[in-house]
Amino acid sequence: DKAEKPVATFTAPAGRYDQVSKNITLLNGVTAKSAGDKPVTLTAPTLTWKGNAPTALAEGGVTITNPAFGNSTANQCEFSLDFS
């Protein structure tokens, strides 16, 4: 039996879930951090998973910090939620 371990954490001061669309939106300053010794960190004002889509969209001024490559910035960033 392989133990399930988190591959990333997502934190935000607020969030909402829409039961009809199945969208999950994190609000008011989101931080997403990968697990591991040298985590990659994404910060953005909002982050949305649209229904059961395999991707999430960060918007409003995104910063990605990668210890190996430095910082990247964008107005929005869509990324895969397939962490396998």
Side-chain angles (χ1 to χ4, degrees):
D1 242 356
K2 183 176 141 182
E4 295 291 326
K5 293 184 180 181
V7 295
T9 58
F10 297 83
T11 57
R16 66 176 171 244
Y17 173 70
D18 184 305
Q19 290 184 347
V20 175
S21 69
K22 307 288 190 225
N23 291 353
I24 299 170
T25 303
L26 301 177
L27 305 160
N28 303 332
V30 180
T31 299
K33 187 179 284 192
S34 66
D37 294 335
K38 297 181 181 178
V40 175
T41 303
L42 177 145
T43 58
T46 65
L47 182 109
T48 303
W49 286 275
K50 295 202 181 259
N52 294 322
T55 60
L57 180 65
E59 298 181 280
V62 180
T63 300
I64 299 172
T65 303
N66 183 325
F69 302 109
N71 292 348
S72 297
T73 59
N75 289 327
Q76 59 181 234
C77 176
E78 186 170 14
F79 60 96
S80 172
L81 295 172
D82 181 3
F83 296 108
S84 59

